[in-house]
């Protein structure tokens, strides 16, 4: 069954200028997101993994136009998000929400839990008076908090509870897409599982679509339908979860997967050890972004950045040698 | 056994009380208490001036002119060259000082905070424009600026407040701009933007409250400063009409009799000194408690 794409991204780029620049020298740029294209189908979860600094979060923020993209298009339900005016964008924000990594930073600590969760409703003038209070209570219930929590301030909650408040706030307007930017990385492992389960339950109940950003391969494996691997601002491989985890094609994915610890200390595993550091996103390596660290490097890896090519219907990879 | 005995209620109360006492009378709050008491005393004096003041501050009696301080029971601080009671005039003078100090700082803080926040939040050419204006204001020594504005507007209570607001808002603007630059990138601000909130709503609801601690501290220091500058302007004859007693005009009038009747200048001067000291102590204490950058020093 072919599902329609809820979100489609083509050639998305986000560069940040560094420093002041010079009259005779072009400004140096951080290539945080560089030519990213993918789509997310309705109701699925796309996991996005990569090491820190590879542009995962920037990609998430750019998708919601929380930072303006440098180039490329974003389509949401057939509408070109990148062309919307400020006002149109504001009303579209009801459809797409974000959950942040650090629940200590993402809630305004001068507002009560109730007013935080009710804020989206008041911003978009949805419901009034009693109806709004009921909606807030309903949302709090949905994320496993009680009505008695409503009058409290964020500092009275634990990290996990705060993340639940943030989730309730994101849910308030019945969004279709939620970008979850490392939503469990700041939490204890035991709490992580609870929040992941909550996200899954909510997805089933409200027919949500997730872009799940994380650096934790196990969490991503658990929650995702498809997984995209990012390296230096580019998606190097994107495939259905099982296929990616069992038969990765890109050498970087391979290295990443073998680097993840296995809970069995006696297990023998073949590791692909990465050497060197991630190259600077300002001065990018010529040719394939990964060639300096690649275990399968060949001469033609220096001939420009390889295209993202489809190996089969769902599996694409940015490498010439597979 | 002792352990089995219930804790007596009196002991528990005494214990609670000693704990509360310890919490309230901590050394770090000392400045706030001293400064705050002075400020409160001043507030009471100005509000209750008609009740506290022993005489009508405007009543002339040339038969009683230039009475020495502490010599007459009826005129404790003596009288001036027109026979007016100095103590009463100082008490009434606190009204003007406080009114001008508080009102002009409130307006300056509001104007400065809003413009500073807008400047930092929108950045780019908005920031450039507002900061250029701020720099123009800063280029003038601000007493000179107030003098020029007063010369244009003429004397009067409203005008002196306008002059002081116009010369002090830049300080608030720069402070708030700096704070907002660091606050605007925080997650809760981005989250509000993601919810679809409008810019001004975000500034007022999610950014400005976070600048309050440093803003409050700055306000107290500015009140003290503005009181001094009001006195200076009054001293120069650019303040409120001469008939209204203010500490600055009293200083100026007393100057003529400096050798013969030093109390005429000394006591208004002392009033300014104590007021400014008190408010500065309060501000200092508040900063120690509120400003995270000063914590632990």
């Amino acid at each position: 069954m072919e599902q329609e794409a809820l979100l489609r991204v083509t050639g998305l780029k986000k560069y940040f200028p560094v420093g002041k620049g010079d009259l005779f020298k072009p400004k140096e740029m951080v290539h945080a997101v560089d030519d990213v294209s993918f789509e997310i189908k309705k109701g699925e979860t796309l996991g996005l993994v990569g090491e820190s600094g590879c542009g995962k979060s920037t990609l998430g923020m750019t998708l919601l136009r929380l930072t303006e993209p440098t180039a490329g298009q974003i389509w949401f339900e057939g509408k070109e998000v990148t062309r919307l005016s400020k006002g149109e964008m504001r009303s579209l924000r009801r459809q797409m929400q974000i959950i942040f990594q650090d629940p200590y930073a993402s809630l305004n600590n001068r507002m009560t839990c109730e007013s935080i969760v009710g804020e989206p409703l008041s911003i978009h003038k949805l419901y009034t008076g009693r109806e709004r209070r009921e909606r807030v209570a309903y949302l709090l219930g949905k994320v496993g908090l009680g009505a008695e929590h409503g009058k409290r301030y964020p500092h009275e909650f634990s990290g996990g509870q705060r993340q639940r408040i943030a989730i309730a706030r994101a849910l308030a307007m019945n969004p279709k897409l939620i970008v979850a930017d490392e939503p469990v990385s700041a939490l204890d492992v035991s709490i992580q599982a609870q929040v992941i389960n909550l996200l899954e339950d909510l997805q089933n109940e409200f027919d949500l679509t997730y872009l799940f950003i994380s650096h934790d391969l196990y969490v991503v494996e658990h929650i995702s339908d498809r997984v995209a691997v990012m390296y230096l601002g580019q998606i190097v491989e994107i495939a259905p979860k099982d296929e990616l985890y069992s038969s990765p094609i890109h050498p970087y994915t391979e290295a990443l997967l073998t680097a993840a610890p296995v809970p069995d200390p006696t297990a023998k595993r073949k590791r692909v050890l990465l050497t060197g550091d991630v190259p600077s996103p300002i001065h990018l390596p010529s040719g394939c972004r990964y060639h300096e660290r690649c275990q399968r490097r060949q001469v033609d890896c220096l001939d420009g950045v390889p295209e993202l090519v489809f190996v089969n219907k769902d599996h694409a990879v940015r490498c010439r040698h597979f | 056994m002792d352990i089995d005995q219930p804790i007596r209620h009196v002991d528990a109360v005494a214990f609670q009380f000693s704990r509360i006492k310890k919490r309230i009378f901590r050394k770090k709050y000392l400045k706030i208490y001293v400064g705050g008491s002075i400020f409160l005393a001043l507030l009471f004096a100005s509000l209750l001036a008609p009740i506290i003041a022993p005489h009508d501050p405007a009543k002339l009696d040339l038969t009683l002119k230039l009475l020495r301080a502490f010599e007459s029971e009826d005129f404790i601080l003596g009288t001036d060259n027109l026979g007016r009671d100095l103590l009463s005039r100082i008490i009434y003078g606190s009204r003007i000082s406080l009114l001008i100090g508080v009102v002009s700082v409130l307006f300056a803080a509001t104007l400065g905070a809003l413009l500073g926040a807008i400047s930092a939040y929108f950045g780019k050419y908005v920031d450039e424009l507002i900061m250029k204006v701020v720099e123009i204001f800063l280029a003038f020594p601000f007493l000179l600026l107030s003098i020029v504005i007063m010369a244009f507007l003429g004397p009067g209570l409203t005008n002196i407040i306008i002059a002081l607001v116009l010369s002090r808002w830049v300080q608030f603007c720069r402070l708030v701009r700096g704070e907002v630059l660091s606050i605007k990138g925080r997650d809760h601000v981005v989250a509000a933007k993601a919810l679809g909130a409008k810019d001004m709503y975000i500034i007022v609801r999610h950014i400005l409250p976070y600048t309050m601690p440093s803003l409050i501290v700055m306000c107290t220091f500015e009140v003290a400063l503005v009181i001094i500058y009001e006195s200076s302007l009054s001293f120069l004859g650019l303040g409120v009409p001469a008939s209204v007693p203010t500490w600055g005009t009293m200083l100026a009038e007393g100057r003529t009799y400096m050798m013969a009747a030093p109390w005429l200048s000394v006591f208004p001067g002392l009033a300014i000194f104590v007021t400014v000291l008190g408010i500065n102590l309060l501000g200092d204490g508040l900063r120690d408690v509120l400003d995270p950058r000063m914590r632990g020093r």
Side-chain angles (χ1 to χ4, degrees):
Chain A
M1 189 188 81
E2 193 59 33
Q3 278 173 300
E4 54 173 319
L6 181 70
L7 183 83
R8 207 174 78 225
V9 177
T10 49
L12 192 70
K13 291 179 186 179
K14 176 67 194 178
Y15 298 165
F16 294 104
V18 241
K20 279 260 176 194
D22 196 315
L23 183 59
F24 300 107
K25 240 182 358 205
K27 243 187 198 175
E28 294 195 315
M29 292 284 183
V30 172
H31 301 69
V33 175
D34 204 359
D35 196 12
V36 165
S37 307
F38 64 92
E39 52 182 53
I40 307 180
K41 295 186 192 75
K42 214 165 190 157
E44 79 166 344
T45 301
L46 176 68
L48 182 64
V49 291
E51 56 200 304
S52 22
C54 73
K56 313 185 289 284
S57 293
T58 308
L59 176 58
M61 299 272 268
T62 314
L63 288 183
L64 304 188
R65 272 183 71 188
L66 293 171
T67 55
E68 292 298 321
T70 309
Q73 286 107 41
I74 304 163
W75 301 78
F76 183 84
E77 290 193 310
K79 259 182 288 192
E80 192 176 348
V81 178
T82 25
R83 285 225 179 137
L84 295 182
S85 71
K86 239 182 147 179
E88 289 169 321
M89 194 59 222
R90 262 201 294 274
S91 51
L92 185 70
R93 292 198 185 283
R94 288 168 59 174
Q95 313 286 329
M96 41 214 297
Q97 275 303 304
I98 184 163
I99 300 168
F100 291 94
Q101 170 176 10
D102 183 0
Y104 291 88
S106 64
L107 307 177
N108 185 337
N109 56 25
R110 278 143 223 260
M111 285 163 74
T112 59
C113 166
E114 238 171 25
S115 49
I116 290 172
V117 176
E119 189 179 21
L121 305 176
S122 70
I123 286 172
H124 291 280
K125 304 195 171 58
L126 304 169
Y127 310 100
T128 45
R130 224 189 71 197
E131 279 183 330
R132 189 180 289 169
R133 278 196 301 279
E134 277 168 4
R135 171 91 181 142
V136 170
Y138 167 80
L139 288 164
L140 286 178
K142 277 288 158 222
V143 298
L145 292 171
E148 76 275 10
H149 292 110
K151 296 270 180 261
R152 294 193 199 159
Y153 286 88
H155 68 86
E156 298 173 70
F157 292 96
S158 68
Q161 287 174 317
R162 282 164 176 248
Q163 200 58 295
R164 286 168 191 268
I165 298 173
I167 293 171
R169 171 174 65 184
L171 275 182
M173 297 176 295
N174 272 327
K176 295 189 173 122
L177 173 73
I178 292 185
V179 172
D181 187 1
E182 309 225 17
V184 297
S185 309
L187 307 176
D188 284 352
V189 179
S190 56
I191 310 293
Q192 284 191 1
Q194 291 175 12
V195 173
I196 294 284
N197 289 338
L198 173 66
L199 286 172
E200 285 183 324
D201 293 344
L202 294 172
Q203 179 168 40
N204 293 332
E205 188 169 348
F206 297 106
D207 196 22
L208 296 169
T209 306
Y210 289 140
L211 173 66
F212 192 93
I213 303 172
S214 180
H215 58 255
D216 186 330
L217 290 165
Y218 286 110
V219 171
V220 168
E221 184 178 10
H222 179 78
I223 200 169
S224 308
D225 300 310
R226 289 191 304 139
V227 177
V229 180
M230 236 179 137
Y231 183 78
L232 263 187
Q234 294 187 321
I235 288 182
V236 292
E237 184 160 11
I238 181 166
K241 170 180 72 180
D242 297 330
E243 201 171 325
L244 187 105
Y245 277 78
S246 60
S247 50
I249 295 177
H250 198 279
Y252 178 68
T253 316
E254 220 172 277
L256 209 59
L257 288 176
T258 60
V262 178
D264 178 7
T266 60
K268 286 248 178 342
R269 30 190 203 127
K270 186 185 78 146
R271 284 200 61 181
V272 182
L273 283 176
L274 279 186
T275 50
D277 288 322
V278 187
S280 149
I282 303 172
H283 306 285
L284 292 168
S286 56
C288 173
R289 296 268 160 95
Y290 186 60
H291 81 265
E292 289 171 357
R293 305 169 79 191
C294 184
Q295 65 273 25
R296 286 192 256 145
R297 178 175 54 228
Q298 295 183 17
V299 190
D300 62 346
C301 286
L302 283 164
D303 305 341
V305 181
E307 292 295 314
L308 193 66
V309 284
F310 279 86
V311 189
N312 60 40
K313 194 165 69 60
D314 301 314
H315 195 154
V317 66
R318 211 184 256 279
C319 181
R320 294 194 182 88
H321 308 282
F322 52 83
Chain B
M1 291 301 287
D2 274 342
I3 291 173
D4 294 330
Q5 269 183 6
I7 301 168
R8 282 188 304 137
H9 181 64
V10 182
D11 286 349
V13 169
F15 176 67
Q16 281 296 331
F17 187 69
S18 75
R19 260 183 51 186
I20 293 170
K21 219 163 70 178
K22 251 188 212 145
R23 279 186 61 176
I24 294 179
F25 295 100
R26 264 192 285 188
K27 213 174 169 185
K28 80 184 218 198
Y29 295 147
L30 192 67
K31 281 183 193 162
I32 297 183
Y33 288 128
V34 175
S37 331
I38 294 176
F39 187 70
L40 276 183
L42 199 73
L43 200 68
F44 270 109
S46 58
L47 288 177
L48 305 174
I51 302 171
I52 299 174
H55 297 276
D56 179 352
K59 195 178 147 222
L60 311 176
D61 189 345
L62 289 175
T63 58
L64 294 171
K65 74 172 185 180
L66 294 177
L67 287 182
R68 285 181 168 279
F70 307 123
E71 281 188 353
S72 145
E73 269 179 33
D74 211 18
F75 300 93
I76 301 173
L77 296 184
T79 56
D80 65 5
N81 56 320
L82 298 171
R84 295 175 294 194
D85 178 37
L86 199 65
L87 178 62
S88 305
R89 286 176 68 72
I90 288 179
I91 291 174
Y92 271 89
S94 70
R95 291 186 140 184
I96 297 295
S97 294
L98 219 57
L99 179 76
I100 289 176
V102 171
V103 172
S104 47
V105 165
L106 276 184
F107 278 113
T110 314
L111 180 71
L114 266 180
L115 284 175
I118 288 171
S119 180
Y121 182 84
F122 291 104
K124 296 178 189 160
Y125 57 91
V126 181
D127 191 30
E128 291 270 323
L129 183 74
I130 294 179
M131 281 302 114
K132 284 286 176 285
V133 174
V134 165
E135 276 162 31
I136 291 170
F137 272 88
L138 277 176
F140 293 98
F142 97 82
L143 185 60
L144 196 67
L145 184 64
S146 341
I147 291 173
V148 170
I149 299 171
M150 284 308 286
F152 267 112
L153 298 175
L157 189 63
T158 328
N159 291 349
I160 198 170
I161 290 175
I162 293 173
L164 289 168
V165 168
L166 283 181
S167 41
R168 292 318 289 170
W169 69 274
V170 284
Q171 302 297 331
F172 293 100
C173 189
R174 294 208 309 168
L175 172 88
V176 169
R177 176 175 176 271
E179 296 257 320
V180 172
L181 280 179
S182 80
I183 296 169
K184 74 168 182 178
R186 292 193 196 163
D187 280 355
H188 77 271
V189 177
V190 182
K193 197 176 164 196
L195 293 177
K198 291 186 177 153
D199 294 325
M200 279 319 280
Y201 172 89
I202 294 178
I203 290 176
V204 172
R205 188 82 199 250
H206 292 288
I207 294 181
L208 282 180
Y210 280 75
T211 66
M212 277 324 262
S214 32
L215 205 57
I216 289 171
V217 171
M218 182 142 188
C219 277
T220 52
F221 288 124
E222 286 289 319
V223 168
L225 211 69
V226 162
I227 286 177
I228 292 184
Y229 280 94
E230 179 272 324
S231 303
S232 313
L233 287 176
S234 296
F235 182 85
L236 295 171
L238 289 166
V240 290
S243 56
V244 184
T246 77
W247 296 340
T249 38
M250 288 163 74
L251 262 182
E253 286 166 6
R255 196 177 44 136
T256 335
Y257 302 90
M258 193 66 200
M259 300 310 280
W263 62 90
L264 287 186
S265 337
V266 168
F267 290 114
L270 264 182
I272 297 172
F273 168 71
V274 172
T275 306
V276 170
L277 178 74
I279 296 174
N280 269 329
L281 274 178
L282 180 66
D284 232 17
L286 283 177
R287 177 164 66 191
D288 291 349
V289 178
L290 292 178
D291 195 342
R293 275 165 300 189
M294 299 294 290
R295 224 166 260 166
R297 280 194 200 168

